[in-house]
Amino acid sequence: MVGSGHITVDVELADAADDNGVAAQKVVSLKRRNEYASGKVAIVSGTCSQIRVSINPASLTYTDAAGNPVAFSGVRRLVLQAEPGAFLYRSFFGFPYGCSMGEPCVVSDFTPDTLPVGGYSIASTSVTSTASFTLVIYGT
Amino acid sequence: MSTVRGRVSVDVQFRDSTTSASVQSLKTIALQDATEHEDAPSGFPLKVVVLSGTVGTSEITVANFGSTASYAYKNAAGVVPQFSGGYVDGVAFSYTGGGANLRCIEEGTVEKFKIQSRLNRVAVDQGRHFIPELKLQTFAVSGDTVATGSYRIVVWGL
């Protein structure tokens, strides 16, 4: 069980211009930190080709601090980091849920209290190369 | 002419601990990344656009990156930025209500991602997408009945 945790996304881009000595700047930002004091967490790592690798949150090999396998009944958030790139799919045949090409993608599940049929799956963005991935799953 | 520079970071950390027979076990899961963004080595300048407004249950097209006419955001020079390189390299999305999904469509029909935000949680996709359209609508989640809410989307690319 999670004792404490957080997921933070922080985007800040500065846009500057100089027109005949008049400097203008816009700062674009979108930041959110969500704290979690309960729930379950697991991490799944591996490699994949363009053929999808299936991940079933109800049946993972990852074990918690007590040594018990972590089994989810619902997934709230997913964070995928893949090199050189991979898509995260909802269910084995579903639409792409997000894409990481080196930098992480962070998504919420559409049905946080129930698991998608078939779980999730991950596939390389490239037809010619495999991808290595790390997926963090947070839920209940 | 404006110059865009910036940083996108994701920080995930969870602590999972248990105590049994006076032995404490602790596992920490962490995933952290911070990427600095600037102009591409190929010469295409980095662009950023902010899209905001309200959305309901009917899907709306919030931007088409093949056309600067589809969004109103102006950069520091007062010009609507054009993604002349054709690539969107990241999308961060926040929605105030019970749930909304943002779809990224390439070539009119190919769905490249569908990310959800609810209750101001920021979703971010950092894949590379070619001249996409972004479409948005609210989504019913677990009994939430909020059908209209405010959104904010930050898009960066070349």
Side-chain angles (χ1 to χ4, degrees), chain B residues 95-117:
Chain B
Y95 174 69
T96 58
N101 63 54
L102 179 69
R103 296 197 302 140
C104 173
I105 311 290
E106 279 185 5
E107 300 168 359
T109 57
V110 181
E111 191 167 273
K112 302 302 287 189
F113 69 71
K114 185 174 184 176
I115 56 178
Q116 190 213 37
S117 173

Side-chain angles (χ1 to χ4, degrees), chain A residues 3-54:
Chain A
S4 63
H6 67 259
I7 297 176
T8 303
V9 177
D10 184 2
V11 177
E12 185 167 303
L13 296 155
D15 175 6
D18 193 326
D19 182 15
N20 292 321
V22 179
Q25 185 176 41
K26 279 187 161 182
V27 177
V28 171
S29 66
L30 187 59
K31 180 176 182 177
R32 183 75 176 180
R33 177 184 174 102
N34 292 103
E35 303 278 353
Y36 300 100
S38 62
K40 297 175 181 175
V41 66
I43 189 164
V44 180
S45 300
T47 59
C48 60
S49 65
Q50 207 174 39
I51 298 171
R52 298 185 188 187
V53 171
S54 183

Side-chain angles (χ1 to χ4, degrees), chain B residues 52-65:
Chain B
S52 60
T54 59
V55 64
T57 54
S58 298
E59 188 174 69
I60 58 172
T61 299
V62 289
N64 177 346
F65 288 91

Side-chain angles (χ1 to χ4, degrees), chain A residues 23 36 70 75 79 93 106-107:
Chain A
Y36 300 100
V70 175
V75 168
V79 182
F93 300 103
V106 181
V107 298

